[in-house]
Amino acid sequence: MENIEGRRVPDVTFRTREGDDWKDVTTADLFSGKKAVVFSLPGAFTPTCSTAHVPRYDELADAFAKHGVDAIYCVSVNDAFVMNAWHDDQHVKHVGFIPDGNGEFTEGMGALVDKKELGFGPRSWRYAMVVNDGVVEKMFIEPEKPGDPYEVSDADTVFAYVSGGAGDKPHDVTLFTRRFCGHCARAKNMLREKNVEFHEVVATPGMLRAVSGKTSTPQVFVDGKHIGGADELEAQASTLFG
């Protein structure tokens, strides 16, 4: 895929759906007068796209906005029905899903690749970019390797560029919990008091042992680091979250 920094994005019209009606959306509608972050991926409902690429952009949306980003778009060579269903399944709040059903935008970006060995047909190479008023400012193109590399188009890499390395993105916090767990409730209340968003995973004993080596709940992870239970979280909360 060619790096096209300094050029305008392709001028195309996307066929989207709002409710039961078709709506044509142009690249001018999406990009004129805006600073946008775009990430493109091989397909809706696919593993890396659903578990990592889309969720992290949605998590960092407010942080992107603080650094002047007006919109975040996910582009895929899928039709509007599929993209709308995927959007609903992902429960995203801040990422616009753009159906490039005919692959016209992706082809214009030079990103159209043949995935027929997977039964996908023509799809997009994975990449991200920052677009200013329709002009590509910066591109993050995944390396040409077999499979589906996911190394440079992730939200954290793009945020580091947009923010100039300011390091003010929100923490990635995950709690492994069980139902009717009083210490789990205490940990969640501590995080809410600090205005810290978190992911809760209701875990089985086997899952707890696999991820933390423990069987008690909660087990708390902050930015990929195992913190411990509710007592450890309370001891470190001020240092971690201010």
Side-chain angles (χ1 to χ4, degrees):
M1 182 179 175
E2 181 185 0
N3 189 314
I4 63 167
E5 290 174 5
R7 304 184 203 172
R8 298 196 66 81
V9 296
D11 184 14
V12 304
T13 298
F14 301 97
R15 293 285 280 163
T16 73
R17 295 279 294 181
E18 284 192 0
D20 295 326
D21 299 319
W22 288 103
K23 180 180 180 181
D24 287 346
V25 176
T26 67
T27 46
D29 295 327
L30 295 176
F31 299 112
S32 291
K34 300 176 185 176
K35 182 173 185 176
V37 168
V38 181
F39 62 103
S40 189
L41 37 78
F45 292 102
T46 52
T48 300
C49 306
S50 297
T51 62
H53 217 169
V54 169
R56 189 59 173 159
Y57 273 101
D58 199 51
E59 290 171 3
L60 294 183
D62 289 340
F64 273 112
K66 290 177 182 177
H67 291 278
V69 173
D70 301 299
I72 300 175
Y73 301 124
C74 170
V75 177
S76 183
V77 182
N78 289 108
D79 64 69
F81 292 99
V82 170
M83 290 296 277
N84 284 357
W86 190 35
H87 178 277
D88 293 343
D89 182 74
Q90 288 281 283
H91 302 291
V92 297
K93 300 176 182 178
H94 309 291
V95 176
F97 278 34
I98 309 301
D100 188 23
N102 294 326
E104 295 174 359
F105 183 85
T106 301
E107 185 175 21
M109 288 295 301
L112 200 64
V113 294
D114 192 348
K115 295 278 187 178
K116 65 181 179 182
E117 76 280 1
L118 298 176
F120 284 12
R123 293 296 176 102
S124 178
W125 189 250
R126 195 184 295 274
Y127 69 92
M129 60 182 173
V130 178
V131 181
N132 262 317
D133 195 21
V135 176
V136 179
E137 173 186 318
K138 181 69 175 178
M139 295 197 72
F140 306 82
I141 304 169
E142 294 297 341
E144 292 187 19
K145 295 181 179 180
D148 179 25
Y150 177 56
E151 301 176 13
V152 299
S153 63
D154 59 286
D156 291 274
T157 298
V158 178
F159 180 78
Y161 168 79
V162 168
S163 67
D168 55 352
K169 64 185 177 184
H171 291 283
D172 182 8
V173 180
T174 300
L175 272 70
F176 289 86
T177 67
R178 287 182 185 155
R179 295 178 63 195
F180 311 117
C181 166
H183 292 299
C184 300
R186 182 160 63 93
K188 289 186 283 187
N189 287 335
M190 280 189 281
L191 292 170
R192 292 184 181 115
E193 288 172 2
K194 293 285 187 179
N195 294 315
V196 176
E197 294 188 6
F198 57 88
H199 303 284
E200 180 178 5
V201 180
V202 179
T204 64
M207 184 189 298
L208 285 170
R209 285 193 298 270
V211 300
S212 67
K214 308 287 186 180
T215 57
S216 60
T217 53
Q219 294 300 321
V220 184
F221 289 78
V222 178
D223 298 330
K225 180 182 178 182
H226 183 215
I227 300 301
D231 291 340
E232 290 78 12
L233 177 63
E234 184 175 25
Q236 299 182 52
S238 295
T239 301
L240 289 168
F241 309 122

